[in-house]
Amino acid sequence: MAIWGIVDFVCAMLCEIHEDEAYYRLYGQFLSWGYFDHPPMVGLMTWLSSILVTGKSLIAKNMSVRLMTVLFHVGTVVLTWMCIPRKGEVTKREQNGFFIIAASMVMFSTYGFITTPDAPLLFFTALFICLYKRYLESPSWGIALLLGVSMAGMVYSKYMGALAILLVVLSNWCLVKDIKLWCAVLLGVLLTTPHIIWQYENGFPSMVYHLVSRSQEWTVGYTLEYLPNQLLVFNPVAYILAWILVWKSLRSTDAYERGLAFLFAGFQVFFFVMTVRGHVEPHWTVLITIGAIVMLTSEWNKREAFFRRRWLRNAMVVTLCTVMAARVVLCLNVLPESTGLANKRPYYKAMHKASEGLPVVLGGSFQAASLYRFYYDDQAVVVRQWWDRYTEYDLLHLEEELMGQKVCLLRDDGRGEPCVIDGYTFKKRIVEELSKDDLK
């Protein structure tokens, strides 16, 4: 576990910040009970990281966004280990199998050092599953109330946490007669009330965005890409083996085993159906990697199991080595700028030169404004064009603070004087006193 945490810490320090992480850093700068795209947990994480790590070096800046992610992920791995059912002593074989399987899960591993809402979602899902296992063994009021806290944590991390809770209940209908579990659900609802009130006061922006605005006209490509994307979320070997175990467990008499199977199959089927309304992001199913790790590790330790086949164990090791190699590449920052995973800083350095030290107003790209704020801690806002989607910037209205000030307008729609700096071309216009007409 120490080695795991150190590896995540090093990757968090060295890997270049992703544009979404810079956007979530904005959340932490304006703490709220909710944000346009997501519930507030990721904003709280970046806020805490910024308090615990200060400094102007690039490593310090990275950790000011990612520290809590690393700590959450170490906790996630510990809780996932505790989720594994055991009847005897822990064997060295089981330990080896667990770390090989867990570290080879592509997105599970990635969210150990990349800050997104999925990082806390994984933690609270692992906590929920661990508590559910304990509750089935010993249904006490204390565990039931902790289950309520974990449910609230899942929903505060990402809305799909509610789907995970529903699927576990569907796997064990006896729970609907359990007064302790009803109290746990009530506690979870009470804890999430501030976020519900925030949504109401702001016109339910997250609900409208996720349920309406993101809908697209269906094309066959959305459906065909789903399975390949899921192979990459897990890894091809683990994904196929997990489905075999799930198929065996769906009718199991063991409520815990059946719950993990329902969680995995339910998420896979739900988001496959969701491809009819547009593109499904691969990482939307990442929380079920926890159940997959638990099932695969349990299978790894059995005497009569498919992991007794040496070629399957070797295949898992190969996927682990591939994931580790990808981490090294990310840490070296050698990928092309077009990938969005490395070499972004020269562009924003040129943008900083073009701004002449003035506050920057960008047209269209909320990612660009967020990255500029990350690298230089200067005022940078984005003005949405009619074809762009709404973002947190539309709720914050940061441009209003710049009214009447001298600013630099940088656009990509042909307006303004061409400005070439370090090989990058900008459309630049200096405005002495910013007005609403300048933003049109």
Side-chain angles (χ1 to χ4, degrees):
M1 280 307 310
I3 294 172
W4 186 298
I6 291 170
V7 170
D8 280 347
F9 198 87
V10 171
C11 289
M13 289 192 298
L14 299 180
C15 290
E16 189 168 292
I17 203 80
H18 189 268
E19 58 189 21
D20 286 345
E21 293 180 278
Y23 182 48
Y24 300 138
R25 177 177 179 265
L26 178 76
Y27 287 9
Q29 293 175 323
F30 299 90
L31 281 181
S32 174
W33 281 108
Y35 301 100
F36 181 85
D37 313 74
H38 296 292
M41 188 63 70
V42 69
L44 180 62
M45 287 176 60
T46 58
W47 176 74
L48 287 172
S49 297
S50 68
I51 290 178
L52 296 172
V53 181
T54 58
K56 295 185 177 181
S57 69
L58 195 55
I59 287 178
K61 281 181 171 291
N62 285 348
M63 294 310 298
S64 72
V65 177
R66 293 171 169 167
L67 177 61
M68 291 305 300
T69 295
V70 175
L71 298 179
F72 262 73
H73 194 66
V74 172
T76 300
V77 179
V78 172
L79 288 169
T80 304
W81 170 258
M82 294 170 64
C83 289
I84 300 170
R86 299 181 180 87
K87 295 182 179 179
E89 293 291 328
V90 175
T91 64
K92 185 173 292 186
R93 175 186 176 85
E94 183 182 17
Q95 292 177 17
N96 294 340
F98 171 77
F99 284 106
I100 289 172
I101 292 167
S104 67
M105 294 285 186
V106 179
M107 298 307 294
F108 180 86
S109 179
T110 300
Y111 291 135
F113 60 95
I114 300 294
T115 296
T116 74
D118 298 283
L121 177 65
L122 284 169
F123 173 82
F124 285 108
T125 301
L127 178 61
F128 172 75
I129 293 174
C130 182
L131 290 170
Y132 178 62
K133 173 177 174 290
R134 297 291 179 88
Y135 187 81
L136 292 174
E137 297 167 352
S138 178
S140 67
W141 276 103
I143 297 178
L145 294 178
L146 288 174
L147 271 170
V149 174
S150 68
M151 292 177 193
M154 292 167 71
V155 175
Y156 267 125
S157 300
K158 222 169 180 181
Y159 298 116
M160 61 189 62
L163 175 61
I165 298 167
L166 176 62
L167 288 169
V168 171
V169 173
L170 288 175
S171 73
N172 186 4
W173 272 107
C174 294
L175 296 176
V176 300
K177 302 177 182 179
D178 192 329
I179 187 64
K180 297 187 185 72
L181 263 297
W182 278 108
C183 290
V185 172
L186 178 61
L187 176 60
V189 172
L190 288 174
L191 290 173
T192 55
T193 298
H195 177 63
I196 297 172
I197 294 173
W198 180 92
Q199 287 285 350
Y200 173 76
E201 291 178 342
N202 288 274
F204 298 96
S206 305
M207 302 297 102
V208 173
Y209 171 60
H210 289 294
L211 299 179
V212 180
S213 300
R214 299 193 79 163
S215 297
Q216 300 169 308
E217 184 178 351
W218 178 80
T219 65
V220 68
Y222 292 140
T223 301
L224 294 179
E225 70 183 3
Y226 180 76
L227 179 58
N229 285 342
Q230 291 306 297
L231 292 173
L232 292 176
V233 169
F234 296 80
N235 69 56
V237 179
Y239 184 70
I240 294 171
L241 296 181
W243 262 117
I244 296 173
L245 294 176
V246 166
W247 185 256
K248 293 180 179 180
S249 303
L250 283 174
R251 297 185 178 181
S252 172
T253 56
D254 185 289
Y256 180 65
E257 183 179 336
R258 191 171 62 252
L260 295 178
F262 265 68
L263 189 59
F264 186 97
F267 254 75
Q268 287 291 302
V269 172
F270 177 83
F271 283 107
F272 177 78
V273 173
M274 290 297 286
T275 61
V276 302
R277 61 183 296 273
H279 172 67
V280 171
E281 295 290 345
H283 63 272
W284 287 354
T285 62
V286 69
L287 71 81
I288 61 175
T289 56
I290 294 169
I293 293 169
V294 172
M295 291 186 292
L296 289 169
T297 303
S298 299
E299 186 72 11
W300 183 285
N301 207 37
K302 292 179 182 178
R303 291 186 176 182
E304 299 297 331
F306 45 61
F307 277 122
R308 287 294 175 178
R309 298 175 177 84
R310 182 180 295 274
W311 67 271
L312 274 177
R313 298 199 303 274
N314 291 342
M316 290 299 297
V317 173
V318 169
T319 59
L320 169 63
C321 293
T322 303
V323 172
M324 292 300 104
R327 281 194 175 206
V328 172
V329 172
L330 286 175
C331 289
L332 294 176
N333 293 315
V334 294
L335 293 173
E337 183 180 353
S338 58
T339 63
L341 300 173
N343 296 308
K344 294 188 289 290
R345 196 175 187 185
Y347 175 79
Y348 292 95
K349 184 177 180 180
M351 182 184 292
H352 186 64
K353 291 180 181 179
S355 72
E356 302 178 17
L358 297 172
V360 175
V361 179
L362 299 173
S365 177
F366 70 93
Q367 296 100 333
S370 301
L371 283 166
Y372 186 85
R373 295 173 69 97
F374 170 78
Y375 284 121
Y376 292 101
D377 289 317
D378 289 342
Q379 285 182 299
V381 300
V382 60
V383 178
R384 185 178 57 85
Q385 308 299 305
W386 67 268
W387 56 84
D388 296 316
R389 77 170 182 87
Y390 283 87
T391 68
E392 184 64 20
Y393 285 95
D394 294 288
L395 294 183
L396 293 174
H397 297 294
L398 297 178
E399 71 279 0
E400 293 181 359
E401 299 177 5
L402 301 178
M403 290 299 171
Q405 297 185 35
K406 186 177 181 180
V407 301
C408 176
L409 296 180
L410 295 176
R411 313 177 70 108
D412 57 5
D413 59 359
R415 298 175 62 182
E417 295 296 325
C419 174
V420 180
I421 297 178
D422 297 338
Y424 296 98
T425 301
F426 304 96
K427 296 290 185 176
K428 170 184 172 181
R429 184 159 62 97
I430 302 296
V431 177
E432 294 296 331
E433 294 184 2
L434 183 66
S435 67
K436 290 185 178 181
D437 290 335
D438 295 314
L439 303 179
K440 294 179 179 178

